[in-house]
Amino acid sequence: MKKFVKHLALLSIVILAASCNKKETPATTEPVTTETEQTTTAPASDAFTVELESNDAMQFNNTEIKVPVGKTVALTLKHTGKMAKEVMGHNFVLLNKGVDFTAFAEKAAAAKDNNHIPADAGKDIIAHTGLIGGGESATVEFTVTEAGTYAFLCSFPGHSAIMKGKLIAE
Ligand code: CO
């Protein structure tokens, strides 16, 4: 009777994984750099700025402009087209309250020698830019001292039927 007793020594190798609780603190912490491009094109004054565009299709891109009462407004008119001012001239003319729009437009259209600003406009006009052609721009500064709705137009002949809008001071 052969008795083979096999003693199997089970060696349980316990590999103790050394728990490395090494907190990895990065040697170089990237500084949060906010590289904001500084646009130094801020207006010199603290004027309320308005941009108005006009084009070769005889249009303003905005027909309702809101401005604050009593604050200087710097309005820039841009002509995004290519046509010369002799054929597609634009300006921004802001009329005072109570001015007859049609009568003014007719008078201004005839005032070719004065860039379509009637020489005797006087208080009919609060402000106006010069007449510009394609690629040009013109800025005018003004202050509306009384709240209300004012009409603006381009006074180039035939344009005011389309190129007109409301400026609301509030
Ligand atoms: Co025009």
Side-chain angles (χ1 to χ4, degrees):
M1 214 173 143
K2 286 182 180 178
K3 225 178 174 182
F4 294 106
V5 181
K6 279 187 177 178
H7 291 282
L8 293 173
L10 293 171
L11 295 171
S12 58
I13 305 167
V14 180
I15 300 169
L16 289 169
S19 58
C20 303
N21 264 352
K22 221 200 291 178
K23 279 184 182 175
E24 287 196 22
T25 43
T28 51
T29 38
E30 291 271 326
V32 184
T33 47
T34 46
E35 283 185 47
T36 44
E37 279 185 42
Q38 295 249 338
T39 45
T40 51
T41 50
S45 62
D46 64 342
F48 181 85
T49 56
V50 176
E51 286 205 353
L52 182 63
E53 288 183 0
S54 55
N55 60 24
D56 280 345
M58 214 167 79
Q59 296 164 322
F60 282 130
N61 72 332
N62 191 357
T63 55
E64 191 176 296
I65 298 167
K66 286 186 178 178
V67 301
V69 176
K71 188 166 184 180
T72 303
V73 176
L75 183 142
T76 299
L77 174 68
K78 287 183 180 175
H79 191 318
T80 61
K82 291 178 178 175
M83 296 168 79
K85 70 176 180 181
E86 288 77 17
V87 285
M88 189 53 73
H90 299 315
N91 61 10
F92 167 87
V93 181
L94 181 61
L95 299 182
N96 225 322
K97 283 179 182 171
V99 175
D100 186 318
F101 187 92
T102 307
F104 176 87
E106 284 177 8
K107 197 163 69 170
K112 192 182 177 185
D113 292 345
N114 201 37
N115 281 324
H116 300 291
I117 300 298
D120 63 345
K123 287 185 176 178
D124 284 359
I125 293 176
I126 294 174
H128 71 87
T129 65
L131 194 67
I132 58 171
E136 296 178 325
S137 67
T139 300
V140 62
E141 288 198 0
F142 59 92
T143 304
V144 180
T145 55
E146 196 181 314
T149 301
Y150 299 79
F152 71 83
L153 68 146
C154 168
S155 67
F156 192 86
H159 287 199
S160 65
I162 298 166
M163 298 188 78
K164 61 182 175 182
K166 286 186 282 184
L167 181 138
I168 300 163
E170 56 189 14

